[in-house]
């Protein structure tokens, strides 16, 4: 009888230790998942179940200088429309400040951000507003961009710049030529600024 009691106590102890280890492993795995989430690119952080080819940036309705950007994303050949490509964009507010927020896992993100996913014709449309920059800053006004093609790693592309930026004449010829490739030429339609800009994908990005 004594031996039976000892055996039962031993089994109970082993079971308790196993449960403790499993709980520790679970907590460790959860922490690792959250940490990986915090480090990953914001191109993956959209909350919509299904992205579409049009998105509106937060606070759009309250901004004075509303801006519509549209175009076609092409494959690297510059001819074939690229379907199901995610374009992530983020920007400062009209004063040049990047308004930062934290989500439920305390990951920091830019408040003025959005995601579009191209349709079968490669088309995208963004409703945003004219970003600002710090006073006396030599930097250009910009909207940052990240591309995610199906089956490939994400990658940054040059920001959208603006042809009416007063800093442009002060740039070197090399910097000016580089900025022109992603420069938006702004026009006015009613009470909205509009720009059209096509994008050609990078052929050197490898598959996942």
């Amino acid at each position: 009888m004594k031996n039976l009691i000892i055996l039962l106590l031993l089994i109970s102890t082993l079971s308790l230790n196993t449960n403790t280890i499993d709980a520790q492993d679970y907590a460790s795995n959860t922490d690792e998942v959250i940490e990986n989430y915090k480090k990953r690119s914001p191109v993956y952080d959209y909350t919509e179940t299904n992205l579409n080819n049009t998105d509106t940036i937060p606070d759009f309705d309250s901004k004075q200088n509303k801006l519509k950007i549209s175009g076609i994303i092409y494959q690297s050949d510059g001819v074939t429309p690229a379907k199901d490509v995610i374009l992530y964009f983020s920007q400062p507010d009209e004063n040049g400040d990047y308004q930062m927020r934290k989500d439920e896992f305390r990951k920091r993100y830019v408040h003025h951000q959005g995601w579009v996913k191209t349709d079968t014709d490669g088309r995208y449309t963004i409703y945003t507003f004219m970003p600002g920059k710090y006073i006396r800053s030599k930097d250009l006004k910009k909207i940052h961009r990240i591309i995610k093609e199906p089956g490939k790693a994400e990658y940054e592309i040059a920001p959208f710049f603006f042809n009416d930026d007063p800093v442009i004449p002060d740039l070197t010829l090399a910097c000016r030529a580089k900025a022109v490739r992603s420069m938006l030429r702004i026009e006015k339609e009613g009470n909205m600024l509009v720009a059209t800009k096509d994008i050609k994908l990078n052929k050197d990005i490898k598959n996942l």
Side-chain angles (χ1 to χ4, degrees):
M1 183 66 178
K2 181 179 180 181
N3 290 337
L4 179 59
I5 293 174
I6 293 175
L7 179 61
L8 290 173
L9 288 173
L10 179 61
I11 292 174
S12 176
T13 301
L14 288 174
S15 177
L16 179 61
N17 288 338
T18 301
N19 290 336
T20 302
I21 293 172
D22 288 345
Q24 290 173 346
D25 286 345
Y26 176 78
S28 176
N29 289 339
T30 301
D31 291 342
E32 183 177 353
V33 168
I34 293 175
E35 187 63 26
N36 290 338
Y37 163 73
K38 288 182 178 181
K39 292 179 179 178
R40 76 179 184 180
S41 170
V43 74
Y44 300 104
D45 293 344
Y46 52 88
T47 56
E48 295 85 350
T49 304
N50 294 305
L51 293 177
N52 57 54
N53 70 332
T54 302
D55 196 17
T56 302
I57 207 161
D59 302 333
F60 172 79
D61 290 335
S62 64
K63 300 302 180 181
Q64 183 174 359
N65 295 316
K66 294 178 172 58
L67 172 63
K68 175 186 175 183
I69 307 171
S70 58
I72 299 174
I73 298 182
Y74 290 101
Q75 299 288 353
S76 58
D77 60 11
V79 177
T80 308
K83 176 186 176 184
D84 294 335
V85 173
I86 296 175
L87 170 62
Y88 166 80
F89 58 98
S90 64
Q91 66 178 76
D93 64 18
E94 62 270 46
N95 299 315
D97 295 318
Y98 289 90
Q99 295 187 18
M100 304 304 296
R101 301 284 194 274
K102 286 185 179 181
D103 64 17
E104 59 181 321
F105 298 109
R106 301 189 64 76
K107 179 176 181 176
R108 286 167 57 83
Y109 65 92
V110 179
H111 176 56
H112 295 114
Q113 63 177 349
W115 297 259
V116 289
K117 187 176 184 180
T118 56
D119 61 12
T120 55
D121 297 320
R123 296 188 179 277
Y124 74 93
T125 299
I126 296 168
Y127 288 94
T128 183
F129 59 89
M130 184 67 73
K133 61 183 178 182
Y134 291 117
I135 298 175
R136 295 184 295 276
S137 171
K138 293 293 185 180
D139 200 10
L140 294 170
K141 294 183 294 184
K142 64 185 68 174
I143 298 176
H144 303 276
R145 302 181 293 172
I146 300 176
I147 288 286
K148 175 65 178 74
E149 302 178 48
K152 294 186 177 182
E154 76 283 356
Y155 58 96
E156 293 186 24
I157 59 177
F160 282 134
F161 298 116
F162 299 87
N163 67 319
D164 62 347
D165 196 312
V167 176
I168 291 175
D170 298 331
L171 298 177
T172 64
L173 289 177
C175 290
R176 196 181 309 173
K178 186 176 181 180
V180 165
R181 299 173 191 169
S182 58
M183 188 170 290
L184 300 176
R185 299 196 176 278
I186 303 298
E187 298 179 0
K188 191 75 179 288
E189 289 185 3
N191 63 347
M192 186 175 296
L193 302 172
V194 298
T196 301
K197 192 67 177 179
D198 296 338
I199 300 170
K200 186 170 74 171
L201 296 176
N202 190 335
K203 67 178 179 180
D204 297 324
I205 302 301
K206 297 180 179 180
N207 294 333
L208 290 173

